Amino acid sequence: MQSSNKTIVKNTAFLYMRMFLVMLVSLYSSRIILSVLGASDYGVYNVVGGVVTIMAFLNGALSASTSRFLTYELGKGNTERLKQIFSTSLNLHICVAALVVILGETVGLWFFYNKLVFPSDSIIPAFWVYQFSIVTTVINFAQVPFSASLISHEKMSIYASVGLYEAFSKLIIAFLINISPMNNLTFYALLLMLNTLIIQSFYIYYTRKKYEECRFRVVKDKGLYNILLSYSGWDLFGGLASVCQGQGITIVLNIFFGPVVNAARAIVLQIQSTVTQFVTNFLMAARPQVIKRCADQDYEGMYDLAFYSAKFAYLLMFALIIPICFEVKIILYIWLGNNIPAYTETFAIIILLTSLLTSFHAASLMPYHAIGKIKAGNIIGGSMMIVALPISYVLFKLGFQPYWAFIVILITNTMQQTVTWIIIHGYVGYSYKRLLLKVYVPCLLISVIGVIPPMLIVYFMESSWIRFLLLLFTTEIVLASLVYMIGLTKSERKQLHRLIKNKLNYART
């Protein structure tokens, strides 16, 4: 237990080092790209990419299946079974990649020409963006088993290093748009495709060299294909639900409001992606240990780690988004200057609050996937998520503003995460009282008290740099104190004291 916790801490540290640099570089890159492409072309790129991503939900289901079974077999120590699982997964991903090409060049192309809304001078560049996006998606499909193997082996230092390369390479691409020998939008999509090829080629090279299971083999065991496809089949429904809330909403916004609103959504999704990376990295480091404890039938340890992860995922997200929500206007100005599309501020606040509440759900998915019984959760929870798309469409038909789509998502996702905890309890029981006292009660108390200082600062001070810095500093100090006093249990405080003491003793030597 002690060594696994150290592994989680070490891997989390690698991922956070990566994330801080990636965050800074990505935000600066977005500013340059938005400035060079303009709001309309930036919106075009994101809505076209959204069409391809809809087809990519097939891959999302297989990816979850691959990661779960590879990690599970590593926990069991079954090398031969691990090799078979990897090869079976690789064969399936290659087949799905071929299917995406077929769908993309038939149904997807019809949808592109007949349903999407573009300025007349953007149709040809948008077509090439679409084609490059299909190639990029296929490349990503083929390498999923390799990157899943890397994460299952908990080699987060390599994952972090590749992430840094990806961020800085995208920054270089942003500058290269200025010397484009062709249309800026087309050139941007082309460079991103080539960069993806370099990154995924490295993943394949590294894992083939380091891990013996990472080889292409012909697997004739129909049972293995059935196991992965059965698991993926139910996850496919959950993936479809995520696509409906993500790219589905993007396309509906495009149909009713045009590419400029898509640009606002794309900017906000960049903010959301940046802050959720903090939580994602923490959960990514913890997830293999949750699955391995389940494989050892240490269900108490599995839930201990899942509850711990849920609590700190929420608190970490809360500390990040509260200053952003109160000072979103000045943050957007610092980031984008005057190039801020309409609705960006409103979208940002609603989507960030949604991310905060769904951080609980992200943690609950770890034991859910570890146990492996995902049928009921995907059907019930997925249905709740899918409902957001038709409701949003109806609201837009009735003349509602575009931000109502995100209010609907906030409501449906909050309902869904409650259902997930109940379903997990039905498979492997835990104490609801323990969940409430360890996770929800401390998070609620910290939220209610922690929001008071920024509210007072905003109420009594005019918007300015001084208010922004004071709010940021005060909020984080108050939240850190509240987490120590309310968020940490007695044993966790003792562990923190011991860790600080050890670090101080090490520094003196």
Side-chain angles (χ1 to χ4, degrees), residues 19-57:
M19 180 274 306
F20 274 114
L21 289 171
V22 169
M23 175 184 70
L24 295 174
V25 175
S26 297
L27 292 177
Y28 185 60
S29 299
S30 299
R31 175 177 178 140
I32 297 171
I33 292 165
L34 179 62
S35 176
V36 174
L37 294 182
S40 181
D41 275 358
Y42 191 63
V44 167
Y45 177 81
N46 283 277
V47 74
V48 170
V51 175
V52 179
T53 306
I54 286 179
M55 296 180 287
F57 82 93

Side-chain angles (χ1 to χ4, degrees), residues 51-90:
V51 175
V52 179
T53 306
I54 286 179
M55 296 180 287
F57 82 93
L58 297 166
N59 188 55
L62 274 175
S63 300
S65 174
T66 300
S67 179
R68 189 265 177 187
F69 282 101
L70 285 176
T71 306
Y72 194 89
E73 295 304 331
L74 276 172
K76 287 286 189 181
N78 190 336
T79 305
E80 285 305 312
R81 180 77 169 178
L82 184 65
K83 292 178 181 178
Q84 291 180 321
I85 291 290
F86 178 87
S87 298
T88 304
S89 172
L90 181 58

Side-chain angles (χ1 to χ4, degrees), residues 423-497:
I423 291 172
I424 295 171
H425 182 274
Y427 295 139
V428 178
Y430 60 83
S431 168
Y432 284 122
K433 180 180 179 181
R434 188 169 160 221
L435 174 63
L436 288 172
L437 294 178
K438 277 186 168 287
V439 181
Y440 286 95
V441 170
C443 288
L444 179 61
L445 288 173
I446 291 170
S447 299
V448 171
I449 301 171
V451 80
I452 295 173
M455 287 179 65
L456 292 174
I457 292 171
V458 169
Y459 182 79
F460 285 108
M461 293 183 67
E462 294 292 328
S463 179
S464 65
W465 276 94
I466 295 174
R467 189 185 82 174
F468 171 63
L469 295 173
L470 178 63
L471 185 145
L472 181 63
F473 180 77
T474 303
T475 301
E476 301 307 326
I477 292 296
V478 170
L479 288 178
S481 303
L482 290 171
V483 169
Y484 178 81
M485 292 184 291
I486 301 173
L488 295 178
T489 63
K490 187 176 180 180
S491 62
E492 288 168 350
R493 281 195 292 270
K494 286 182 178 179
Q495 289 179 8
L496 179 62
H497 295 162

